[in-house]
Amino acid sequence: MENRFLDQAYKANHSIWNYVLGIILVVIGALTFSLPYNLVIANKITEGTADASRVEDINYLYTLLDSNTSLFYMMLPFVGAMITLFIIIKKIHKQSWTSLTTSRVKIDYKRVFFSFFFWASITLLLFFIGYIISPEQVVWNFDAKKFSILFLLSIVLIPIQTSLEEYVFRGYLMQGLGVSSKTKWVPLLVTSVVFGLLHYANPEVKELGYGIMVFYIGTGLLLGIMTLMDEGIELSLGFHAANNLITALLVTADWTAFQTAAIFKDISSPSLMTELVAMFFLYPLLLFVYAKKYKWNAWKEKLI
């Protein structure tokens, strides 16, 4: 059985070298848009207000700039990468944005919004259950002025960040690896592992240990399965946006990649339990619901 989503690449200029060039250009686009942040930090080092030996530590960087400014600069590379990817798809691959997104005639935004609100609802429900059971683990962190700025930044920039990751991993790379390897399991596994490994520099790894990498790779695997079974990235777009938006707006902590002016602050000791519960219980539940709603079948053929 063919996979209509992976086969979308055959409608474009699908030479493997085009994909190699495309990834290089996306990285360059991201690096170019990271220059403002680097210049700000360089200026602080010159002024003597920043320690050059510590600027690789993301937790230290949060002490140099307020959280909203930091978030803005952190998101800029994703904006640059997204603009670059769009140009690459149009100019190098001669491919439509729709065919990079889905095997359907047009992008199914109902799928995006269903996935977004379904995962957001689960996340909010679990947070408030945890808050009722152990209220001492979180504190009220709400600052109206800071939060309003955070909200505006988040609803604009975080969907760009999450969409860029989905378009690169579940769209661009998955289609490219699919046509070059002529398999489904290679793009599924490779994109999942690479997606997970790119989170290696996150401060969560330092706090929770290398076990968190299993969760990151497992999340990549979940999103890849969604894409292949549903033959489009609409569901993964919604899931990823909900996950990161809730993380940014609802609860923050001093040891996470997103340290924001969120409503609550987690002051509990870092633990892998939340991630393990999500991976081994919630992710299968998510796939079960989607499979029933969208009538997925032929799992083996579509994934392997």
Side-chain angles (χ1 to χ4, degrees):
M1 178 182 289
E2 299 300 321
N3 188 290
R4 292 179 299 164
F5 177 67
L6 296 183
D7 291 345
Q8 296 299 305
Y10 286 114
K11 301 176 183 178
N13 293 338
H14 58 272
S15 164
I16 185 63
W17 297 112
N18 283 342
Y19 286 98
V20 172
L21 174 62
I23 290 300
I24 292 172
L25 292 176
V26 166
V27 172
I28 291 174
L31 292 175
T32 301
F33 273 63
S34 71
L35 287 177
Y37 188 57
N38 293 333
L39 291 173
V40 168
I41 299 303
N43 187 54
K44 287 185 174 294
I45 293 173
T46 302
E47 293 174 346
T49 56
D51 183 351
S53 65
R54 299 181 62 192
V55 295
E56 297 299 323
D57 182 356
I58 192 170
N59 290 320
Y60 175 66
L61 291 177
Y62 277 114
T63 67
L64 301 178
L65 301 169
D66 71 81
S67 60
N68 286 329
T69 304
S70 297
L71 179 66
F72 172 76
Y73 282 126
M74 285 175 61
M75 294 295 104
L76 276 184
F78 295 97
V79 175
M82 181 65 90
I83 294 171
T84 306
L85 180 63
F86 184 82
I87 295 171
I88 290 166
I89 294 302
K90 294 294 184 180
K91 301 299 182 181
I92 296 179
H93 292 277
K94 308 294 184 183
Q95 183 177 6
S96 72
W97 195 252
T98 299
S99 67
L100 183 67
T101 309
T102 185
S103 60
R104 286 165 274 277
V105 176
K106 59 182 180 179
I107 299 172
D108 188 346
Y109 290 102
K110 288 183 179 179
R111 275 174 154 84
V112 177
F113 289 119
F114 174 80
S115 186
F116 178 93
F117 287 111
F118 184 65
W119 185 245
S121 298
I122 290 176
T123 305
L124 289 170
L125 177 63
L126 290 177
F127 171 79
F128 285 111
I129 289 174
Y131 181 73
I132 292 171
I133 295 173
S134 304
E136 73 281 356
Q137 294 189 351
V138 295
V139 295
W140 186 252
N141 190 57
F142 183 73
D143 180 306
K145 182 178 180 180
K146 289 184 178 179
F147 183 81
S148 61
I149 297 172
L150 169 65
F151 181 80
L152 292 174
L153 287 173
S154 297
I155 62 173
V156 173
L157 295 176
I158 289 180
I160 294 176
Q161 176 244 325
T162 56
S163 295
L164 182 277
E165 292 185 6
E166 291 311 304
Y167 274 105
V168 167
F169 287 98
R170 261 62 65 177
Y172 192 65
L173 285 178
M174 190 163 273
Q175 286 185 355
L177 289 168
V179 297
S180 60
S181 68
K182 294 180 173 55
T183 66
K184 299 154 193 169
W185 64 268
V186 167
L188 176 61
L189 292 183
V190 171
T191 57
S192 300
V193 171
V194 175
F195 176 78
L197 292 178
L198 284 180
H199 290 79
Y200 178 80
N202 283 17
E204 288 91 337
V205 177
K206 181 179 179 181
E207 293 295 330
L208 299 175
Y210 294 116
I212 190 67
M213 296 303 299
V214 176
F215 168 74
Y216 288 136
I217 294 172
T219 301
L221 192 62
L222 167 77
L223 296 169
I225 291 172
M226 282 185 196
T227 298
L228 290 180
M229 291 306 303
D230 201 52
E231 302 198 53
I233 67 172
E234 292 101 331
L235 296 178
S236 66
L237 285 170
F239 171 93
H240 205 158
N243 188 75
N244 286 28
L245 270 174
I246 295 298
T247 299
L249 296 174
L250 183 63
V251 58
T252 187
D254 289 334
W255 48 271
T256 60
F258 275 173
Q259 296 180 29
T260 65
I263 298 173
F264 296 96
K265 185 173 184 178
D266 186 342
I267 58 173
S268 64
S269 299
S271 171
L272 264 177
M273 184 56 64
T274 301
E275 285 73 16
L276 293 178
V277 168
M279 183 171 172
F280 292 109
F281 295 99
L282 296 181
Y283 286 3
L285 171 64
L286 200 67
L287 291 175
F288 176 79
V289 171
Y290 289 164
K292 290 297 182 181
K293 180 174 177 60
Y294 297 111
K295 298 179 173 57
W296 292 349
N297 51 44
W299 287 68
K300 181 179 179 181
E301 290 80 1
K302 285 188 176 182
L303 298 180
I304 301 176

